[in-house]
Amino acid sequence: MVALASIDYYEAITGSLETPDPARLRILLELAEGAVLAGAHGQNIVEQEYEDVTLYNSDGRFYFPQRPVTAVASVVVDGLSLTAGTDYRFTSGGDGRAAALIRRVNGRDSWWACAEATVTYTAGWATVPAQIIGAVVATAHGIYNGSDATTQTITPEGQAIPSFPAVVLAPLAMKLQPAVQQVIDALCKVDGPASVEIGR
């Protein structure tokens, strides 16, 4: 899978000319990517093809699990292969809208009467959006720069034990900051119909 952010992006965005510990930063970027994907409402971000996916009818529409949809290679309903443009069209989704497969009858949009469709389609971004790259970098940056700030607790035996103050524990838990989550929501969240498969 294509990485959402690289060390080069990290250095460019943060202004770091040279990263003192690239191996550690690479791991933190991978962990931050996982945190961003976990907050992306089920969206995989990077463009890929999804083969023979079953979509379930929701009020006469089929909604794709992934967005934005960029191509639909095949649609099979009740064992019949449908023709693009004549039998169906699709919307890519975005701006809070789900991606939908819409039935066409006599040149007009209509409703699907069948319970399910089997679809092969392509969804995601061919180029990772700058907002997502920034979200990964911001999350990794909070840990990379914050996790070294420790305090020391002296035990009765006179031994020093390092401990992390509360302000450091939040980024260490890979918790997305509200501003970062808002950026992800703007690209990936759907207002209204769910973009996940809905069974009946």
Side-chain angles (χ1 to χ4, degrees):
M1 181 175 172
V2 177
L4 298 184
S6 64
I7 290 179
D8 287 344
Y9 278 127
Y10 180 92
E11 292 177 346
I13 292 170
T14 63
S16 303
L17 297 179
E18 185 176 335
T19 305
D21 192 351
R24 176 175 175 241
L25 180 56
R26 193 172 294 110
I27 291 171
L28 291 178
L29 284 169
E30 289 176 7
L31 293 171
E33 176 178 318
V36 167
L37 285 172
H41 307 281
Q43 299 308 290
N44 291 329
I45 308 299
V46 176
E47 184 178 72
Q48 57 187 296
E49 184 178 67
Y50 299 90
E51 189 173 356
D52 296 331
V53 176
T54 301
L55 305 182
Y56 297 94
N57 194 321
S58 176
D59 298 324
R61 291 279 193 264
F62 290 119
Y63 295 105
F64 294 94
Q66 295 292 324
R67 300 176 308 281
V69 174
T70 56
V72 175
S74 67
V75 176
V76 177
V77 172
D78 294 331
L80 300 174
S81 294
L82 304 185
T83 303
T86 303
D87 298 321
Y88 69 87
R89 70 179 182 89
F90 70 90
T91 62
S92 61
D95 295 325
R97 295 186 305 270
L101 182 69
I102 300 168
R103 184 181 181 208
R104 299 282 286 170
V105 176
N106 298 323
R108 296 176 180 268
D109 288 353
S110 185
W111 303 99
W112 295 101
C114 51
E116 61 185 56
T118 302
V119 182
T120 295
Y121 69 103
T122 302
W125 285 273
T127 302
V128 177
Q131 299 94 318
I132 296 294
I133 295 171
V136 173
V137 167
T139 303
H141 186 64
I143 301 161
Y144 190 76
N145 289 298
S147 60
D148 291 330
T150 61
T151 58
Q152 288 189 340
T153 302
I154 307 299
T155 67
E157 294 79 24
Q159 296 175 325
I161 300 175
S163 59
F164 293 95
V167 70
V168 175
L169 291 178
L172 283 179
M174 287 292 170
K175 179 174 170 46
L176 297 179
Q177 297 298 318
V180 171
Q181 186 62 61
Q182 287 176 3
V183 168
I184 297 169
D185 289 349
L187 285 172
C188 301
K189 191 174 182 180
V190 171
D191 301 322
S195 62
V196 297
E197 298 173 4
I198 300 172
R200 286 193 168 194

